[in-house]
Amino acid sequence: MRIHNTLSGRKEKLQTLNENEVRIYVCGPTTYNLIHLGNARPLVVFDTLRRYLSYRGYRVIYVQNFTDVDDKIIARANEEGIDALQLSQHYIDEYFVDADRLGIMQADIHPRVSEHMNDIIDAVGKLIERGYAYEIDGDVYFRVRAFDGYGKLSKRSLDDMRAGARIAVDERKQDPLDFALWKKARASEPSWDSPWGAGRPGWHIECSVMSTKYLGETFDIHGGGADLIFPHHENEIAQAEAMTGKPFVNYWMHNGFITINQEKMSKSLGNFFVLRDILDKYPADVVRYYLIATHYRSPLDFDDGKLEEARRALARLKNSLQLAEEFIQGDEAEAAELDEQASAFLTEISSLEASFIEAMDDDLNTAMAIGHLFEMAHTLNSFLASAPRSEAGNRVAVFRALQTFRALGDVLGIFMKVDDEEKKAVEGLLDILLQLRSRARQQKNFALADEIRDILSEHEVRVEDGPEGSRARYEKEPDASELVELLLAIRGRFKAEKQYDQADWVRDRLMDQNVIIEDTREGVRWKFADA
RNA sequence: GGGCGGGUGGCGAAGUGGCUAACGCUGUGGUCUGCAAAAUCACCAUUCACCGGUUCAAAUCCGGUCCCGCCCUCCA
């Protein structure tokens, strides 16, 4: 695999320190807020990297930190009059809610600043000892000019930076670019005891300390958003390499930004979208698809239309999945001879699988990989449309193709499945509606058939009729209660028209789905039996 | 001001020296369908911001011009 390394500015072949093992550190969120879409991009990008490396046979050791001691957290906690660490804990919990919904695998270790104070204090002490840092009245600063390679990641010289510096210079610092390793405690701030008095760590030191603690003094990949290149990652390198005298990270990966109407989305500009709100409107796999349909280093513009387009595009892939599943219907285990068409079909699938891998190997080119997935869907659909499913060989071929197709979609995390109780109830209710509609169609009662389809369409459920029956498809699960109401309304009409056998049929089917119906003088009452 | 990246069809987005410029969305026509939907087949950029150069060959390399985003300050 080749990876674009920010350090060299080039794509380089991935050569891990240990064979078949990759050690990755990704900068996680500062926990003072619900995460927004901009935070979600690196989560999904590096989760995809992780899945892909696993798929390619690597053992992946993945560490993602929480910065739970920070100016913004303290400010927010003071505003709300609560303890800073308590606020952090709250948003860490909320982080996991959102990340789980997005299908982000948990890291092997999620270290927090607050739990590594001794390690951080030791590190700061060591840096002072070695002349890379100095103390002034309870503050400790890193001495930038003592570290030779300063600026190698962000490709800037110290002189350039001094010239363009917009920061208010702290006169006590030896160099304007020296940055804080330890900050002296002020009133109403959480603090920890140290050899320099009560205080707390500066922003960058935690990542140097925690990454090397869990992954070693040198590790393979460090990732994060492009805005972290300077100063955060530049400073991480300076601290870590000053401390160990060894190269800190071999491959630096940075994702591009999400913009809103061509303007950077950020908490400070106030134009950010909270991930949770987006996940309430669109399924997680659609959001993932949107985030990786563009190469990770490119900027990505966001608006509602983008998710809608992603939804439609992904629906095409998932439709192929469903068509293929229906085609094999559990007969997959059979062994059978493949005819020429089926063999050619599988050859094509293998070749597209190879193309997918080739794309992913080229700096995680998910955009191109997805392109190959669409070609695979096309190949699959064409075969399904032309090969009779009565041939066992065809079913075997589709089964194998489906396995490949699904595996690749799972690498990207775009074939997420939700099957819980709610879904079962919905499936059952939809099935009643479909049966009702089939009966109407058989009786040439197209008015009722179309009405059912139209009403379902209002609930964003599409009805499709095929030679072997109808099916309901949806990306967003409809509300079970509304479906029950719908069925009861139809039943009410049957009753009014004195079609009691039809009305009773609906009631019986609803009972099968654990819906209890009571006809009262005031009207119909119902409830789920297990609710 | 300094640094980095980018401008590809109606839209989104790959491609970085040589086959018909992927793929998706949208749109158009045919098949299928009670009608639809899905699926399927076909069509939709002689052209890659602009100008000049290198080369047998450039969207891809070089020079210039215009425009856009990001970083240099907390930020994914």
Side-chain angles (χ1 to χ4, degrees):
Chain A
M1 178 171 194
R2 290 178 348 125
I3 284 178
H4 177 89
N5 190 349
T6 309
L7 205 51
S8 64
R10 277 197 285 271
K11 289 183 194 171
E12 297 173 12
K13 189 172 184 301
L14 176 65
Q15 199 83 49
T16 57
L17 289 164
N18 298 325
E19 207 178 334
N20 299 321
E21 182 189 280
V22 189
R23 294 171 174 248
I24 304 176
Y25 184 90
V26 176
C27 284
T30 301
T31 50
Y32 69 105
N33 220 333
L34 292 176
I35 60 171
H36 63 218
L37 188 62
N39 297 304
R41 170 120 102 148
L43 290 181
V44 170
V45 164
F46 293 108
D47 184 67
T48 305
L49 174 69
R50 180 184 186 184
R51 288 170 187 241
Y52 181 64
L53 289 169
S54 298
Y55 169 80
R56 296 285 269 140
Y58 285 96
R59 183 167 103 92
V60 181
I61 302 172
Y62 196 88
V63 177
Q64 185 188 76
N65 71 296
F66 287 114
T67 299
D68 64 345
V69 175
D70 167 90
D71 290 352
K72 294 186 295 293
I73 297 169
I74 294 166
R76 182 88 197 262
N78 285 344
E79 264 170 43
E80 298 187 10
I82 58 171
D83 177 67
L85 285 177
Q86 204 182 319
L87 182 90
S88 280
Q89 181 61 54
H90 171 71
Y91 284 113
I92 288 170
D93 293 340
E94 299 295 346
Y95 163 87
F96 281 118
V97 170
D98 292 337
D100 286 350
R101 275 176 82 181
L102 245 196
I104 305 297
M105 291 168 70
Q106 289 207 3
D108 296 299
I109 304 167
H110 279 286
R112 306 178 187 190
V113 181
S114 62
E115 291 170 355
H116 292 79
M117 282 303 161
N118 291 337
D119 297 309
I120 290 170
I121 290 166
D122 286 352
V124 173
K126 247 182 239 168
L127 286 171
I128 293 175
E129 222 170 84
R130 296 185 190 173
Y132 287 106
Y134 55 95
E135 188 215 337
I136 301 173
D137 187 27
D139 287 325
V140 181
Y141 292 98
F142 187 89
R143 183 177 281 131
V144 159
R145 64 162 186 266
F147 181 71
D148 266 351
Y150 197 76
K152 65 184 174 183
L153 184 71
S154 51
K155 307 201 168 31
R156 270 175 267 234
S157 72
L158 281 174
D159 293 338
D160 287 346
M161 287 186 274
R162 287 196 190 96
R166 292 194 251 149
I167 38 175
V169 175
D170 180 342
E171 294 300 334
R172 301 174 307 158
K173 291 197 286 190
Q174 294 177 1
D175 187 296
L177 294 164
D178 288 352
F179 56 91
L181 295 173
W182 189 260
K183 296 176 166 180
K184 184 181 179 177
R186 289 180 297 197
S188 76
E189 283 184 358
S191 63
W192 287 260
D193 285 331
S194 80
W196 320 284
R200 62 193 164 89
W203 174 35
H204 317 289
I205 187 70
E206 86 276 16
C207 282
S208 301
V209 169
M210 299 192 294
S211 60
T212 49
K213 171 166 180 167
Y214 295 106
L215 296 175
E217 293 183 336
T218 301
F219 58 94
D220 300 302
I221 297 173
H222 190 134
D227 59 342
L228 295 180
I229 294 172
F230 189 87
H232 188 54
H233 289 161
E234 193 68 63
N235 291 353
E236 274 187 54
I237 293 175
Q239 295 160 338
E241 297 192 351
M243 215 148 42
T244 66
K246 294 177 187 162
F248 177 41
V249 168
N250 288 140
Y251 303 88
W252 285 92
M253 294 176 75
H254 293 97
N255 63 272
F257 280 97
I258 294 184
T259 56
I260 307 286
N261 299 322
Q262 323 283 15
E263 195 177 51
K264 182 183 167 183
M265 162 158 54
S266 76
K267 290 179 185 174
S268 46
L269 286 174
N271 63 344
F272 62 92
F273 286 77
V274 172
L275 177 63
R276 189 163 299 181
D277 294 342
I278 291 171
L279 287 175
D280 287 339
K281 285 192 203 147
Y282 287 91
D285 47 16
V286 168
V287 177
R288 288 186 70 113
Y289 177 93
Y290 159 71
L291 289 170
I292 58 169
T294 298
H295 185 86
Y296 77 92
R297 283 191 286 117
S298 300
L300 181 57
D301 199 56
F302 176 76
D303 58 61
D304 268 357
K306 298 296 191 327
L307 285 174
E308 186 54 30
E309 189 186 321
R311 209 205 85 231
R312 291 181 198 204
L314 181 58
R316 179 172 161 81
L317 294 177
K318 293 185 90 168
N319 184 55
S320 295
L321 206 58
Q322 194 176 341
L323 289 174
E325 276 162 0
E326 285 165 11
F327 190 93
I328 56 181
Q329 276 181 18
D331 297 335
E332 63 270 15
E334 262 175 75
E337 287 284 306
L338 303 191
D339 64 19
E340 205 173 308
Q341 188 197 1
S343 306
F345 162 64
L346 284 182
T347 304
E348 178 65 14
I349 294 289
S350 302
S351 139
L352 287 169
E353 181 185 24
S355 300
F356 177 98
I357 290 170
E358 196 184 328
M360 292 293 278
D361 269 350
D362 185 12
D363 192 30
L364 210 70
N365 193 337
T366 49
M368 189 180 253
I370 287 173
H372 294 306
L373 225 45
F374 276 104
E375 292 176 83
M376 201 179 272
H378 172 247
T379 303
L380 195 52
N381 289 342
S382 298
F383 185 76
L384 295 175
S386 65
R389 71 172 296 278
S390 52
E391 289 292 326
N394 289 342
R395 294 197 298 275
V396 169
V398 169
F399 174 73
R400 289 188 198 154
L402 181 59
Q403 278 187 312
T404 303
F405 186 61
R406 198 200 307 274
L408 300 185
D410 284 340
V411 166
L412 302 178
I414 55 174
F415 289 163
M416 286 171 73
K417 259 204 172 132
V418 273
D419 41 3
D420 48 17
E421 292 301 307
E422 173 83 5
K423 174 153 180 165
K424 265 196 219 152
V426 166
E427 293 285 341
L429 292 167
L430 284 175
D431 193 53
I432 298 173
L433 282 160
L434 289 183
Q435 283 186 47
L436 200 57
R437 186 163 169 278
S438 293
R439 286 156 62 110
R441 290 177 72 214
Q442 272 160 24
Q443 293 160 11
K444 304 277 182 212
N445 183 356
F446 293 122
L448 178 61
D450 287 350
E451 190 187 335
I452 292 174
R453 185 171 63 196
D454 290 346
I455 293 174
L456 282 174
S457 158
E458 281 165 26
H459 288 83
E460 292 182 54
V461 176
R462 292 188 304 284
V463 175
E464 295 171 3
D465 301 323
E468 293 175 43
S470 304
R471 65 166 172 230
R473 302 206 305 128
Y474 53 86
E475 278 94 51
K476 201 170 77 185
E477 190 166 283
D479 184 69
S481 305
E482 284 176 19
L483 294 179
V484 174
E485 297 285 352
L486 196 58
L487 281 158
L488 289 177
I490 292 168
R491 173 169 171 270
R493 281 231 309 268
F494 284 142
K495 282 175 71 179
E497 292 161 10
K498 301 211 190 308
Q499 299 188 37
Y500 293 114
D501 54 331
Q502 296 269 40
D504 290 349
W505 182 87
V506 173
R507 185 185 59 200
D508 292 346
R509 295 289 81 70
L510 280 168
M511 280 174 65
D512 294 344
Q513 296 299 321
N514 292 321
V515 176
I516 296 170
I517 297 171
E518 297 169 34
D519 288 310
T520 70
R521 251 169 291 173
E522 286 77 35
V524 186
R525 282 168 51 190
W526 67 274
K527 62 181 178 184
F528 285 113
D530 50 7

